Amino acid sequence: RERAVDTLANGILCSDSGSAQSSKTHLIMQKDEIITTTSLVEQAARQYGMSPEEYLSNMRQSNVWGGGPEIVALANCLEIPIILLEPLRGEDCK
């Protein structure tokens, strides 16, 4: 959780060839779709009627569930695909 929120707040910390670190602020959503960390947080915050700062603060609380933005951030930070499977319900099950 902390790593995902840190990535959303500060971008992905990348080690350069030396010991210097830079921050990558563009995240890959899926395939070739790219979004900035700022834009992703702003969109998520808007859905909940709060500021980006409030959203990030809220996501740091252990009793709050993360969602799509946190999954995207973590997948980019860890450099692995994360695939979610959801069961079909109702009409979709046929």
Side-chain angles (χ1 to χ4, degrees), residues 57-76:
S57 177
N58 194 41
M59 283 297 120
R60 290 190 189 281
Q61 297 176 23
S62 62
N63 63 337
V64 176
W65 285 73
E70 292 72 36
I71 293 168
V72 169
L74 196 55
N76 278 265

Side-chain angles (χ1 to χ4, degrees), residues 5-22:
V5 178
D6 285 347
T7 297
L8 290 172
N10 307 314
I12 303 170
L13 292 179
C14 307
S15 295
D16 294 335
S17 55
S19 60
Q21 287 193 333
S22 62

Side-chain angles (χ1 to χ4, degrees), residues 18-32:
S19 60
Q21 287 193 333
S22 62
S23 179
K24 208 170 72 172
T25 59
H26 290 78
L27 303 174
I28 299 169
M29 298 275 284
Q30 59 183 2
K31 297 181 183 175
D32 59 353

